[in-house]
Amino acid sequence: MKWFAAMCIAFVACLIPALASGQAALADYDYENLSFRGVSFSYGRIWPSKVDPSAIYTLRADLGYLGPAVRIIPGISYWSADLRTRELERFADRLEQLPPLLAQGIQLTPGDIGPIRWSDLSVGVDAQVVWTAPLRMLTYVGGGVAVHALNGRGDLVANTFVEDLLDSTTPGFALMAGLEQQPLPRIRIFAEARYSMVSDLRYPELKFGGTLMFPAHDVTQGAR
């Protein structure tokens, strides 16, 4: 849990530029300022270090602003993809070192243990520092923390230690930047680039989505 605490500290550090700039006092930042303002859905693509490129689906809530220009966005995301061949080769090499297989000189190939499907269901929260831009647009940068439930499955590794190695619940950290526009009073559309770090898994992400506001809010309200 020391790692999770360190990421939480880094997450809070993302707020420091907004807290320190301008004339906003620390007292202006209070969780009582938060309230449900809308819900969004996005579709994106990720390019992970260990699995094939995959689609990612995200459902998020807009809780408004913790204080001047600092927006809080909790959400849940899901993706699923096949392990890359090099990862299957790594697992095959490890299996070959087990005493029963080593004694018999058995050599395994990726096809002997794959395919293996790896999925991730994550729940987390982002803090975004938001600025207004021309044409009724917003830009933002931020950081987020999440809990990731990783699950591996495959016919040949079911109920084995390989499946156990792929199954875990672990914290993660992400950095993001995005652009948002309000074409209608209750509708916003956005594009976001993101980079997530989960244990030894890393992946960039590009997503597009829309937000339905309850009630309608001006896109510049609360932003710098």
Side-chain angles (χ1 to χ4, degrees):
M1 296 304 293
K2 291 182 179 179
W3 182 30
F4 184 68
M7 288 193 301
C8 289
I9 293 172
F11 174 67
V12 173
C14 292
L15 302 180
I16 291 177
L19 296 176
S21 62
Q23 299 180 359
L26 185 60
D28 292 333
Y29 295 85
D30 194 316
Y31 71 91
E32 292 185 353
N33 296 330
L34 301 177
S35 62
F36 178 77
R37 305 200 321 168
V39 61
S40 69
F41 175 78
S42 65
Y43 166 85
R45 297 288 295 178
I46 60 172
W47 294 267
S49 55
K50 294 187 175 184
V51 301
D52 292 334
S54 174
I56 184 169
Y57 306 92
T58 304
L59 182 67
R60 304 194 299 191
D62 187 334
L63 296 186
Y65 290 86
L66 179 69
V70 178
R71 185 170 60 180
I72 303 300
I73 307 287
I76 181 170
S77 295
Y78 176 81
W79 58 260
S80 178
D82 289 335
L83 279 178
R84 294 179 183 271
T85 299
R86 67 170 180 267
E87 291 300 315
L88 295 176
E89 291 173 345
R90 185 171 68 88
F91 279 122
D93 291 341
R94 295 179 67 175
L95 287 171
E96 289 173 357
Q97 301 308 310
L98 293 175
L101 299 184
L102 189 62
Q104 300 179 52
I106 294 177
Q107 294 186 339
L108 300 174
T109 67
D112 293 326
I113 60 174
I116 296 177
R117 193 78 174 172
W118 209 13
S119 63
D120 177 26
L121 179 66
S122 64
V123 178
V125 60
D126 297 341
Q128 302 171 348
V129 182
V130 184
W131 294 269
T132 57
L135 303 177
R136 297 183 58 77
M137 301 182 72
L138 296 178
T139 58
Y140 60 87
V141 297
V145 291
V147 175
H148 295 257
L150 295 164
N151 179 56
R153 62 186 185 275
D155 293 340
L156 298 179
V157 300
N159 302 315
T160 68
F161 83 96
V162 176
E163 184 178 27
D164 292 338
L165 288 173
L166 293 170
D167 294 348
S168 65
T169 300
T170 185
F173 178 69
L175 299 173
M176 80 285 303
L179 186 65
E180 187 172 327
Q181 188 177 42
Q182 185 176 15
L184 297 171
R186 288 182 178 270
I187 301 295
R188 298 184 184 183
I189 55 176
F190 62 89
E192 181 179 296
R194 189 179 186 94
Y195 190 80
S196 296
M197 296 154 278
V198 186
S199 185
D200 59 346
L201 179 66
R202 307 284 188 271
Y203 55 89
E205 174 186 345
L206 183 61
K207 67 172 64 176
F208 302 90
T211 304
L212 179 62
M213 305 301 295
F214 303 102
H217 287 81
D218 185 87
V219 70
T220 63
Q221 183 180 347
R224 289 193 181 282

